[in-house]
Amino acid sequence: MAVDLTQFHAVFFEEAAEHLADMERRLVALDPADPDREDVDGIFRAAHSIKGGANMFGFAEIAQVTHELETLLDAARRGGLQVTNAIVDAALGARDFLQQALSAARAGRPADAAQAEAQSAALRKLAARGAPAAVGQTAAARPAAAVADAQTLELSWPAGRERGALAVAQLIEQVAQLAGTTPAAFAGSARQLQEDGSARLVLPAGVDAAQMREGLAFVLPPECMRLPATEAAADFGFFEENLPAQLAAAPAPAPAARPAADFGFFDENLPERLQGTQAQARDRRAGDRRQGDRRTGDRRGGAPVADADAVSIRVSAQKVDRLINLTGEMMIGVSMIRSGAASEQAFSSSALGSALASVERNMRELQEAALSIRMIPIAGVFARFPRLVRDLSARLGKVAELRMEGETTELDRGLMERLIDPLTHLVRNSLDHGIEPSAMRTAAGKPVRGTVWLRARHEGGNVVIEVEDDGAGLPREKIVRRAREMGMQIDESSSDAKLWDLIFAPGFSTAEQVSDVSGRGVGMDVVRRNVREFGGNVEVSTQPDKGTRMTVRLPLTLAIMDGMELALGDEIYILPLNAIIESLRPAPEDLKSIGGARRALQLRGEVLPVLPLAEVLGVAEALPITEGVLVVVENAGRRAALAVDALLGQQQVVVKNLEANFRRVHGLAGATILGSGAVGLILDVEALVQRAGGFGRAAAGETQRDLA
Amino acid sequence: MDDKPQAQDDGQGREYLAFSLGGEEYVVDILKVQEIRTYEGVTRIANVPAFIKGVMNLRGTVVPVVDLRLRFNVGKAEYDATTIVIVINLGRRTIGMVVDGVSDVVVLKPSDLRPAPEIAGVLRAEYLQGVAILGPRLLIVVDIDGLMSSREMGLLETAGAQSAA
């Protein structure tokens, strides 16, 4: 009977995506002059895992390319093939193809077979170059390793992995296969391994210890196996873990010898764009290394195989949201008990009262804990940027390195995905507009290699992300000129802050020519709009010849918001607190009527449009404006006064989107559950302010606020 | 949610929830029905069609409620303690619908079903899977997914937005 494999597809896609991300990270970090063995192994493992899944599920193209990639990496791993930039690039290309093929497969479309063939051919060609050497090297090495006669293999079961009979049997089968015998030969050891978690296996004579070790590396962390013969072999400088000597089979070549070999590859396999970037890439990598061991340490710690302490489980976001929902409901239940209990004598001073207080406290903690599940380190977003900087600086012919700080800063998963586009844009801008060409940098007495920093940190209830470069800074004169061309009221005496803010105006670009990277004038306004959409802000600071820093400030989580509850008739609405400037009871003389029905509020010399919310929201019995409260709100520099019956108070609300089960509704930003258990609707300030319209203020849009 | 309708068809048939709407009796696959509730605590949403009554809190989830009586101009749209909301689960979406009343659960075999006649009932034929005759009763089998995701219900953005979700 056939098992329906499609049910496992989702798992495969998810895992493959993780492997691809890991592969990319390691490839970009890989320094051809001194390839980190662990990285090469990691890339190989990733390719191998994807290949396994692809074969099982019948994604032939993916299997084909991963197979070639695996062959190439295996040659590099065994040391026969010198890792070059050409290999790294080809592997990155293959990775990109795999990503495409995977998303095609996910969408149920077939992968591009022609491209798979092209990728495979490129990889094969590179692998073929290393092949003769590989044969020679391994042939020489093997006998040395195989000298030992009967050897013992000491296995210990990895901590944190479940020691099931099936898992043990699989491991033993693997060993048997590598040893060229049958699992039955190790039956006793298997039992022992299952019972004690460790066992000593006597291997038949002639087993290649190196091969055994490498073969098992896929299923067992290195510290869980001991092959005495391998230790002996270490004397040859061959198998030692974590030592450059381990790469004896891939001797680090004298630098002088390398360019010739590299160019050989370039001529055949690479577009000319890389010619000039090779040195720069090496520079950058050297810089990466110089940056310190901390990062290397981090990376090691995050290695997927060995880390038994950081146990994590994969849980669907739906389950997490359900948990958050339920804790939210419990909170509401508890607060309903609390308000009921307030009137009950029994609760006021008794054990019941303190029990309730402790339940409330625990509930709050439970809710925080539940919400924290949604928080993940920003490293997931940052991970894509080394590659971006590498490719882009090559394309722009610039020399630049990326430094990242605070990758462990956590923020809401939902924010993460939406951050990618704005951040990508900012980093691109830094490379394209910020970092100068090498000649200019030299002339200015700066280091040839430009630096782009990507930093993240928590600050109060916010996450702050900075994209900074040590480039030329924003060109003040150009901005002034461009602003005038666009008919803006700007002159040389305008303050810096006003000028810098102009780059966020729609259609504003000072780039002399439009490159395929940036300069089309769409961008910064979109970045600001995106960031503001999820309650954040972008600021710019710059110094001529010193560089530019873009600071993105975001709320910690999308899931919770500080809101103000408003009463309108017998309905309750929620207004985001950060949009509220002030509230007031208007005196009749402050309210002017403009153009008949429209009303305006005169407030300290400013004239604000008044929007009667009851009318907009179709609330039947609301108070007349003069008897209610006006709430002054601001969005994107525009202000309006919303007329409501009363303000009920400030409340932290759990934000739920209407789209989950319904659709977007104009004028609403979302919904939440009120203390009463009913749904409360969260108003969309942007839509309301737009609807209120401006009295001349709206015309210049976003920049108006700073210019006024 | 993965059970395909065909899987249970061999032999004893499937269970359907019967509800009434404008004097006609409809049935919906009981596996699509999450629960039945009374109509209460529905928050009105401004500027949506009148038959979309608003949203309610279903254990922390915000669920839209539509009144099929208003949508199809049948029955009297009154709301009291006996007004019933059938909560329908459409894969990833949950939707509440108000009907005239819920009668019972019936078991229909595939052989009981016959094509829906092209006559104008309360619901258009394109949202019907067929009709079944059970003793004196004529039961109309609703394609609830088709109905709820149809443009005329206005519950989803557009077809495009739906597939992007």
Side-chain angles (χ1 to χ4, degrees):
Chain A
M1 56 171 211
V3 178
D4 181 15
L5 284 176
T6 53
Q7 58 181 309
F8 301 114
H9 279 185
V11 178
F12 168 64
F13 290 142
E14 220 164 288
E15 282 179 359
E18 260 168 37
H19 286 309
L20 284 180
D22 185 49
M23 196 189 275
E24 180 172 53
R25 187 173 53 81
R26 289 178 189 271
L27 276 169
V28 172
L30 200 64
D31 177 6
D34 178 17
D36 186 327
R37 172 70 190 242
E38 205 173 304
D39 278 333
V40 179
D41 279 350
I43 301 163
F44 178 76
R45 271 196 305 267
H48 184 78
S49 306
I50 299 172
K51 179 173 117 174
N55 270 327
M56 190 190 311
F57 297 121
F59 300 127
E61 290 81 7
I62 297 174
Q64 178 190 1
V65 172
T66 42
H67 176 74
E68 297 300 342
L69 189 57
E70 199 186 53
T71 311
L72 175 65
L73 288 164
D74 199 35
R77 218 161 65 96
R78 286 167 190 274
L81 182 63
Q82 172 61 44
V83 177
T84 62
N85 273 322
I87 289 180
V88 172
D89 282 312
L92 280 170
R95 192 214 79 95
D96 290 348
F97 165 78
L98 291 173
Q99 185 139 41
Q100 282 168 22
L102 275 170
S103 44
R106 207 190 274 257
R109 284 180 282 115
D112 184 342
Q115 221 199 327
E117 191 40 59
Q119 290 288 354
S120 306
L123 293 170
R124 254 198 310 274
K125 198 185 255 174
L126 287 167
R129 300 219 158 213
V135 168
Q137 298 254 10
T138 43
R142 283 282 152 72
V147 278
D149 287 329
Q151 308 170 73
T152 54
L153 167 67
E154 286 173 36
L155 294 178
S156 56
W157 198 254
R161 198 188 290 179
E162 202 174 327
R163 201 161 73 227
L166 189 63
V168 171
Q170 272 171 348
L171 177 64
I172 294 296
E173 198 181 296
Q174 189 97 15
V175 174
Q177 205 182 350
L178 288 162
T181 163
T182 59
F186 301 118
S189 308
R191 237 189 335 273
Q192 201 187 354
L193 186 60
Q194 165 102 53
E195 278 160 18
D196 307 342
S198 65
R200 180 185 291 249
L201 281 70
V202 179
L203 303 177
V207 169
D208 184 335
Q211 230 172 21
M212 173 69 76
R213 200 177 174 77
E214 287 187 6
L216 286 182
F218 291 116
V219 291
L220 219 52
E223 68 272 15
C224 291
M225 54 177 138
R226 248 170 67 87
L227 258 173
T230 12
E231 258 91 22
D235 291 344
F236 301 98
F238 203 82
F239 295 109
E240 195 104 346
E241 196 69 19
N242 292 329
L243 267 188
Q246 147 204 44
L247 290 172
R258 292 188 60 243
D262 279 353
F263 285 132
F265 285 132
F266 278 134
D267 293 344
E268 263 188 55
N269 295 305
L270 277 183
E272 57 298 328
R273 68 171 165 99
L274 273 169
Q275 295 254 7
T277 66
Q278 180 194 2
Q280 136 208 348
R282 206 171 296 141
D283 274 352
R284 184 175 55 72
R285 282 166 188 156
D288 280 352
R289 233 188 353 269
R290 224 176 301 125
Q291 215 196 328
D293 294 323
R294 183 187 59 80
R295 213 160 62 173
T296 322
D298 282 356
R299 216 175 53 208
R300 291 262 159 82
V305 197
D307 202 338
D309 290 337
V311 177
S312 66
I313 51 169
R314 189 194 299 273
V315 180
S316 82
Q318 255 178 339
K319 282 188 186 171
V320 174
D321 287 343
R322 190 170 140 74
L323 180 65
I324 293 172
N325 277 349
L326 289 173
T327 52
E329 284 292 286
M330 287 288 288
M331 285 292 279
I332 291 165
V334 169
S335 69
M336 283 166 87
I337 295 175
R338 164 61 71 193
S339 58
S343 56
E344 292 289 324
Q345 274 284 297
F347 274 93
S348 55
S349 62
S350 68
L352 272 181
S354 67
L356 180 59
S358 118
V359 169
E360 275 179 321
R361 203 169 42 244
N362 289 336
M363 273 310 304
R364 250 194 310 279
E365 267 184 47
L366 177 61
Q367 190 176 33
E368 266 166 39
L371 285 168
S372 77
I373 303 177
R374 284 174 60 112
M375 310 285 278
I376 50 176
I378 201 168
V381 174
F382 277 14
R384 61 195 295 119
F385 288 104
R387 172 81 188 275
L388 181 91
V389 171
R390 176 187 197 271
D391 290 359
L392 199 61
S393 53
R395 214 156 84 207
L396 293 166
K398 292 183 179 178
V399 188
E401 70 166 301
L402 176 70
R403 294 197 187 176
M404 301 192 289
E405 291 165 23
E407 293 110 304
T408 53
T409 309
E410 292 194 330
L411 80 164
D412 193 279
R413 210 192 126 87
L415 274 174
M416 208 76 91
E417 287 143 24
R418 295 157 71 173
L419 252 184
I420 291 173
D421 282 350
L423 279 188
T424 306
H425 203 90
L426 293 178
V427 171
R428 278 183 175 177
N429 262 352
S430 281
L431 280 172
D432 197 14
H433 301 312
I435 304 287
E436 315 91 323
S438 308
M440 269 170 75
R441 289 186 69 93
T442 317
K446 290 180 169 185
V448 173
R449 185 177 56 248
T451 306
V452 175
W453 286 269
L454 198 51
R455 303 191 187 91
R457 63 173 183 274
H458 282 161
E459 222 179 76
N462 290 312
V463 179
V464 175
I465 301 163
E466 287 175 355
V467 179
E468 184 178 343
D469 62 66
D470 63 349
L474 291 180
R476 195 186 155 96
E477 282 144 47
K478 267 194 222 166
I479 291 177
V480 171
R481 203 179 335 127
R482 184 83 184 96
R484 284 195 173 149
E485 282 165 22
M486 290 176 74
M488 294 178 182
Q489 300 282 314
I490 280 291
D491 58 56
E492 277 81 0
S493 64
S494 296
S495 79
D496 279 355
K498 271 184 208 173
L499 276 176
W500 305 151
D501 218 53
L502 283 178
I503 63 169
F504 295 108
F508 199 95
S509 173
T510 57
E512 268 119 44
Q513 47 190 168
V514 171
S515 64
D516 62 342
V517 179
S518 49
R520 285 189 202 85
V522 288
M524 292 308 283
D525 63 317
V526 178
V527 169
R528 178 172 271 190
R529 203 168 56 235
N530 281 352
V531 170
R532 282 190 168 161
E533 239 164 51
F534 38 84
N537 205 358
V538 198
E539 283 154 26
V540 57
S541 69
T542 180
Q543 267 188 300
D545 286 329
K546 291 274 171 56
T548 307
R549 179 195 295 159
M550 299 286 178
T551 308
V552 178
R553 216 170 279 270
L554 297 168
L556 208 51
T557 169
L558 287 174
I560 289 204
M561 189 194 73
D562 281 316
M564 176 65 81
E565 290 189 3
L566 314 172
L568 272 172
D570 52 5
E571 296 182 10
I572 293 175
Y573 289 89
I574 290 141
L575 204 54
L577 198 64
N578 61 9
I580 300 180
I581 308 291
E582 61 177 303
S583 65
L584 54 124
R585 287 190 177 276
E589 62 270 22
D590 294 337
L591 288 168
K592 311 284 180 210
S593 104
I594 291 182
R598 298 177 74 191
R599 299 232 227 175
L601 170 72
Q602 207 166 12
L603 182 66
R604 292 186 292 276
E606 227 182 323
V607 178
L608 301 175
V610 173
L611 189 68
L613 268 191
E615 229 168 79
V616 175
L617 299 169
V619 180
E621 309 104 10
L623 297 174
I625 293 177
T626 45
E627 285 171 42
V629 177
L630 288 179
V631 186
V632 179
V633 293
E634 180 181 283
N635 176 266
R638 294 203 278 166
R639 292 184 180 189
L642 309 178
V644 303
D645 286 4
L647 299 183
L648 298 177
Q650 200 176 317
Q651 198 83 6
Q652 264 210 343
V653 299
V654 177
V655 181
K656 300 171 185 287
N657 71 357
L658 283 171
E659 294 98 302
N661 289 311
F662 189 34
R663 59 176 162 84
R664 252 190 88 82
V665 178
H666 187 72
L668 298 180
T672 188
I673 311 297
L674 298 172
S676 65
V679 177
L681 300 172
I682 302 171
L683 299 172
D684 178 357
V685 179
E686 187 182 357
L688 291 175
V689 170
Q690 253 167 29
R691 174 158 180 157
F695 299 136
R697 291 179 60 83
E702 308 236 318
T703 60
Q704 189 68 42
R705 173 183 171 192
D706 305 275
L707 300 176
Chain B
M1 223 47 55
D2 281 328
D3 327 39
K4 297 282 177 285
Q6 290 77 5
Q8 293 186 2
D9 273 357
D10 349 300
Q12 50 301 67
R14 301 164 65 78
E15 289 186 320
Y16 290 81
L17 179 73
F19 62 89
S20 56
L21 191 62
E24 293 171 10
E25 207 169 7
Y26 290 86
V27 295
V28 57
D29 184 350
I30 203 148
L31 294 176
K32 302 278 183 193
V33 178
Q34 185 177 317
E35 60 191 275
I36 298 167
R37 300 170 54 104
T38 54
Y39 181 92
E40 59 183 351
V42 175
T43 301
R44 188 184 63 88
I45 296 180
N47 308 320
V48 295
F51 64 86
I52 298 179
K53 296 307 296 177
V55 284
M56 67 175 179
N57 170 18
L58 194 72
R59 289 182 294 286
T61 308
V62 177
V63 172
V65 179
V66 295
D67 192 331
L68 292 188
R69 302 172 304 179
L70 288 175
R71 179 64 194 91
F72 299 107
N73 296 317
V74 294
K76 268 203 219 111
E78 284 170 347
Y79 304 95
D80 55 30
T82 63
T83 307
I84 292 290
V85 180
I86 303 178
V87 178
I88 297 284
N89 203 319
L90 306 171
R92 295 175 57 181
R93 283 170 181 270
T94 309
I95 284 165
M97 61 181 196
V98 182
V99 296
D100 282 337
V102 171
S103 36
D104 57 350
V105 175
V106 297
V107 176
L108 297 180
K109 291 197 225 19
S111 54
D112 294 335
L113 292 179
R114 51 209 67 183
E118 284 287 336
I119 49 164
V122 171
L123 293 185
R124 297 229 310 270
E126 58 177 301
Y127 307 129
L128 306 180
Q129 284 173 337
V131 295
I133 291 162
L134 203 71
R137 300 161 75 182
L138 176 71
L139 303 173
I140 307 170
V141 185
V142 183
D143 167 17
I144 198 74
D145 297 73
L147 175 65
M148 288 301 171
S149 50
S150 70
R151 196 167 286 240
E152 61 184 300
M153 290 306 290
L155 285 169
L156 312 175
E157 308 283 333
T158 59
Q162 187 196 357
S163 64

